[in-house]
Amino acid sequence: MNEMPQDHRPGKSVRVLLAEDQGMMRGALALLLGLEEDIEVVAQVGAGDEIVAAALTARPDVALLDIELPGLSGLDAAALLREECPDCRVLILTTFGRPGYLRRAMEAGAAGFLVKDGPVEDLAEAIRRVLRGETVIDPALAAAALSAGANPLTARERDVLNASVDGATVADIAGKLHLSESTVRNYLSSAIGKTSTRNRMEAVRAARQQGWL
């Protein structure tokens, strides 16, 4: 965790926490946002499990979070921020514009969701808008989320699919999740059916592509 030194900005500057695991991208975003007269990057972190602690220390107005972070996902961190720092608005900024991610972000209390291919001017304006209490969502992604429908997987089905990566056996999954092997097989079968796939690895890929995991 690296807190940025304070500078002599106007009192109404928007205080921003930036969470991005790629150092070059994080530095570039901090630099570009810092050029805005009314935006101040007060903290930068590279891992999801550093977000809440940094927010409690730096007290940002807006937390700008990537989704796929080491330690804790940006979506999980958004939910924690809602509890620990309710005055901090969350804006998700990600490469992965998946409908399921958008739904999960909104459920976690995020105020905005943007993909990284837009200009920094739009990002700066989105930060200002969420601070004003608005909800900012990429229009194309919003339309895709509406057409895709809700996540059909239950929480336990998601747990079992997540535990299926890296060649884990049914016994491995059962031990990790404290379930019986027959229960694991039932959850896997249900998830495979809901994703219209042929096996659990295809189910994992399909669920990830939709942003359900």
Side-chain angles (χ1 to χ4, degrees):
M1 180 181 72
N2 293 317
E3 287 190 32
M4 301 293 288
Q6 299 286 333
D7 61 10
H8 300 290
R9 299 287 183 102
K12 293 184 179 180
S13 289
V14 184
R15 297 169 59 81
V16 173
L17 179 150
L18 178 58
E20 162 64 54
D21 63 326
Q22 298 182 24
M24 187 176 294
M25 173 68 75
R26 185 170 66 249
L29 279 173
L31 178 62
L32 291 170
L33 289 174
L35 295 176
E36 300 290 324
E37 292 185 355
D38 60 339
I39 293 177
E40 178 185 1
V41 178
V42 295
Q44 300 180 42
V45 299
D49 49 9
E50 298 174 350
I51 291 172
V52 172
L56 289 171
T57 299
R59 293 294 176 182
D61 301 305
V62 177
L64 188 60
L65 310 182
D66 194 1
I67 289 180
E68 296 197 354
L69 296 167
L72 191 72
S73 77
L75 299 176
D76 292 332
L80 289 176
L81 283 174
R82 181 172 56 182
E83 298 177 4
E84 300 291 336
C85 305
D87 294 332
C88 178
R89 303 279 282 173
V90 172
L91 178 58
I92 299 293
L93 180 67
T94 181
T95 303
F96 305 101
R98 297 169 181 167
Y101 279 166
L102 172 57
R103 287 181 175 274
R104 289 169 61 194
M106 296 299 102
E107 291 170 359
F113 194 109
L114 298 176
V115 292
K116 291 180 180 177
D117 59 359
V120 70
E121 292 83 3
D122 289 354
L123 175 58
E125 183 58 25
I127 290 171
R128 299 180 186 107
R129 289 177 62 191
V130 298
L131 186 60
R132 293 197 297 263
E134 299 179 38
T135 299
V136 182
I137 299 173
D138 181 272
L141 185 57
L146 287 174
S147 63
N151 184 349
L153 301 173
T154 67
R156 263 314 193 186
E157 288 165 356
R158 294 197 300 270
D159 289 342
V160 168
L161 286 182
N162 277 319
S164 297
V165 299
D166 301 326
T169 66
V170 168
D172 292 334
I173 299 168
K176 181 178 182 179
L177 299 179
H178 307 291
L179 299 171
S180 69
E181 292 186 25
S182 61
T183 298
V184 169
R185 291 190 181 92
N186 288 338
Y187 283 135
L188 286 173
S189 177
S190 179
I192 290 167
K194 289 178 178 180
T195 54
S196 301
T197 53
R198 297 173 298 179
N199 55 58
R200 58 174 164 151
M201 297 317 298
E202 287 186 5
V204 169
R205 286 194 294 271
R208 283 182 169 173
Q209 287 171 358
Q210 290 293 330
W212 295 337
L213 295 182

